[in-house]
C-alpha cells in the first residue's frame, strides 16, 4: 500500500519505474537471485550492489509490496518504511560510495521469511532478489554443537605445546643436575 501512496504523491515519474521494471526483468530474465538462511532472534545481511555509486535511489521491498528500506540520493529515508521493519533494518552508508547497498535485518521473525527485492535506479538499473529463509534458533545450536569451534582447537594445541615445552625444560634441567 505504501508504494501506491508514494506514486500518487507526485513522484510518479520516479517511482513508476519500480512498478514497470520488474515486468521487464521477468521478461528478460536478468534478475539476480540469492538465498539467505537466518535464525529467529538473530540478524541476516541481504546483499545488493551496483557499479553505480553516487546519487542513487535504492528501494528494498518485501514481497514487492512492503517498503523495507529506502535510500534517496544516497540518503536513508524511513518515512515510508513499513511498520514491521521500523528500528530493525540498518544499512552501511560508508559502503554506498563503493556501490554496496546491502541491509542488515535484525531480530529475525518467522514473518520475515520471503522474497526481498533491491531496486537500484540510475543510468544502469539493477534488480536483485534475495530469498530469506528463517529457522528456529534451536536448529542453529544443534548444527553448531556438532562442529568443533576453531578457538577450542587453537586452545588445545597451545596447551599441548606448553606441556611439551615444560617436559623438555624439565628433562634438560634433570640432565644438567646429574653433571
Amino acid at each position: 500500500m505504501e508504494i501506491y501512496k508514494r506514486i500518487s504523491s507526485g513522484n510518479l515519474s520516479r517511482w513508476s519505474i519500480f512498478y514497470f521494471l520488474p515486468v521487464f526483468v521477468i521478461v528478460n530474465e536478468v534478475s539476480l537471485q540469492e538465498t539467505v538462511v537466518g535464525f529467529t532472534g538473530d540478524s541476516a545481511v541481504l546483499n545488493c550492489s551496483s557499479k553505480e555509486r553516487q546519487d542513487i535511489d535504492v528501494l528494498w521491498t518485501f514481497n514487492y509490496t512492503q517498503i523495507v528500506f529506502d535510500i534517496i540520493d544516497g540518503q536513508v529515508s524511513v518515512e515510508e518504511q513499513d511498520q514491521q521493519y521500523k528500528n530493525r533494518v540498518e544499512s552501511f552508508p560508508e559502503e554506498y560510495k563503493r556501490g554496496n547497498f546491502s541491509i542488515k535485518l535484525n531480530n529475525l521473525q518467522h514473518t520475515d521469511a520471503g522474497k526481498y527485492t533491491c531496486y537500484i535506479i540510475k543510468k544502469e538499473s539493477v534488480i536483485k532478489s534475495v530469498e530469506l529463509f528463517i529457522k528456529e534458533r534451536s536448529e542453529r545450536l544443534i548444527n553448531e554443537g556438532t562442529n568443533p569451534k576453531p578457538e577450542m582447537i587453537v586452545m588445545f594445541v597451545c596447551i599441548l605445546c606448553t606441556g611439551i615445552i615444560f617436559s623438555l625444560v624439565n628433562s634438560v634441567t634433570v640432565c644438567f643436575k646429574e653433571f
Side-chain angles (χ1 to χ4, degrees), residues 31-43:
S31 180
L32 304 173
Q33 178 84 29
E34 181 182 334
T35 301
V36 174
V37 177
F39 296 90
T40 54
D42 284 352
S43 301

Side-chain angles (χ1 to χ4, degrees), residues 42-136:
D42 284 352
S43 301
V45 175
L46 309 179
N47 294 314
C48 184
S49 60
S50 169
K51 294 175 187 173
E52 298 291 331
R53 297 163 192 236
Q54 294 187 347
D55 300 327
I56 292 183
D57 292 345
V58 179
L59 178 67
W60 276 95
T61 63
F62 176 69
N63 290 336
Y64 302 109
T65 57
Q66 295 174 298
I67 295 176
V68 176
F69 202 76
D70 201 2
I71 303 167
I72 301 171
D73 291 330
Q75 299 296 317
V76 173
S77 173
V78 293
E79 292 175 20
E80 297 180 28
Q81 185 179 43
D82 192 272
Q83 192 63 35
Q84 176 181 339
Y85 298 101
K86 293 275 186 200
N87 300 316
R88 293 183 49 226
V89 181
E90 54 185 286
S91 67
F92 311 96
E94 65 281 357
E95 290 292 317
Y96 296 170
K97 57 187 163 216
R98 293 182 186 92
N100 182 358
F101 303 100
S102 302
I103 58 172
K104 181 178 178 184
L105 183 56
N106 298 309
N107 191 22
L108 293 174
Q109 304 162 11
H110 284 289
T111 55
D112 293 328
K115 188 171 191 170
Y116 291 80
T117 307
C118 171
Y119 301 94
I120 300 176
I121 304 300
K122 191 65 176 179
K123 294 176 189 172
E124 169 188 315
S125 297
V126 175
I127 295 180
K128 173 115 188 269
S129 297
V130 179
E131 187 76 25
L132 178 62
F133 295 97
I134 306 294
K135 293 185 176 184
E136 285 295 322

Side-chain angles (χ1 to χ4, degrees), residues 121-157:
I121 304 300
K122 191 65 176 179
K123 294 176 189 172
E124 169 188 315
S125 297
V126 175
I127 295 180
K128 173 115 188 269
S129 297
V130 179
E131 187 76 25
L132 178 62
F133 295 97
I134 306 294
K135 293 185 176 184
E136 285 295 322
R137 184 183 294 271
S138 60
E139 292 179 52
R140 180 177 186 186
L141 295 175
I142 291 168
N143 291 339
E144 287 180 354
T146 59
N147 297 327
K149 295 183 178 175
E151 329 54 86
M152 294 299 289
I153 294 170
V154 170
M155 184 176 77
F156 178 73
V157 169

Side-chain angles (χ1 to χ4, degrees), residues 19-30:
Y19 275 103
F20 299 115
L21 204 51
V23 173
F24 296 120
V25 169
I26 291 169
V27 170
N28 292 323
E29 297 179 334
V30 273

